[in-house]
Amino acid sequence: MTLVNFNNRTRNTAPYFNNVFDSLFSEALNKNLTINKIPGVNILETAEEYKIELAAPGLTKEDFQINLKKDTLSVWAEKKVAETDEKKDYTRKEFDYFSFARSFVLPESIDAEKITAEYTNGILNITIGKKDESKSAAKEIKVS
């Protein structure tokens, strides 16, 4: 058996058409709308706190679950939508499902009692307070 290298892009055919066809075909394979996507995150640090901004439009505050276990902050979101269209002769029902999970390893300098979360305009804002290190840094040690 002989292998033949086949190239269907010759000078006589329109290369633009081939590129458009190839891109449409590859996008159809690679672009699956049911694949869960992880939202973008911004992490900011100030002298008093850390702030995590998570872009998750289209959700409500009830869709989120935030958990702190040891030094890991986990954020889950899940939204299920069932849309039903009933006509005289048929019923059409479509499901839409969206979920994601993100975890963040927090430094030892955080204060677990100073964690708050707020969801406004499609952005989940998590504020994590830092421990007041000026109190713990000043300590007198007696020599024995």
Side-chain angles (χ1 to χ4, degrees):
M1 179 158 96
T2 306
L3 294 177
V4 178
N5 187 7
F6 179 72
N7 185 1
N8 65 350
R9 297 178 194 223
T10 62
R11 293 183 187 186
N12 295 336
T13 62
Y16 177 75
F17 179 76
N18 288 338
N19 289 340
V20 170
F21 181 75
D22 289 344
S23 68
L24 287 175
F25 185 69
S26 66
E27 284 178 13
L29 291 176
N30 293 333
K31 191 184 250 185
N32 187 350
L33 297 177
T34 61
I35 294 175
N36 296 333
K37 298 192 180 210
I38 298 174
V41 173
N42 293 331
I43 300 175
L44 310 164
E45 180 182 3
T46 64
E48 299 85 27
E49 64 190 13
Y50 296 98
K51 190 165 189 171
I52 299 174
E53 299 173 339
L54 196 124
L59 299 174
T60 63
K61 64 181 183 178
E62 291 80 20
D63 296 329
F64 292 99
Q65 182 180 358
I66 303 170
N67 188 9
L68 178 66
K69 188 174 183 181
K70 294 188 180 181
D71 63 344
T72 303
L73 181 75
S74 300
V75 179
W76 293 279
E78 180 177 86
K79 183 167 185 144
K80 296 178 184 178
V81 178
E83 187 177 314
T84 304
D85 184 17
E86 295 187 19
K87 298 286 184 177
K88 187 176 184 178
D89 296 334
Y90 69 93
T91 301
R92 179 183 66 118
K93 193 169 190 177
E94 292 187 19
F95 294 101
D96 188 18
Y97 180 78
F98 173 78
S99 69
F100 71 86
R102 288 287 306 249
S103 294
F104 305 94
V105 177
L106 302 177
E108 293 179 8
S109 63
I110 64 121
D111 188 355
E113 301 299 319
K114 295 181 183 177
I115 298 177
T116 60
E118 181 182 25
Y119 182 70
T120 54
N121 298 328
I123 308 254
L124 177 66
N125 294 302
I126 303 171
T127 305
I128 305 163
K130 292 182 178 180
K131 290 180 184 175
D132 189 11
E133 298 196 15
S134 61
K135 292 179 182 176
S136 63
K139 182 178 177 184
E140 183 178 340
I141 301 172
K142 294 185 179 184
V143 180
S144 55

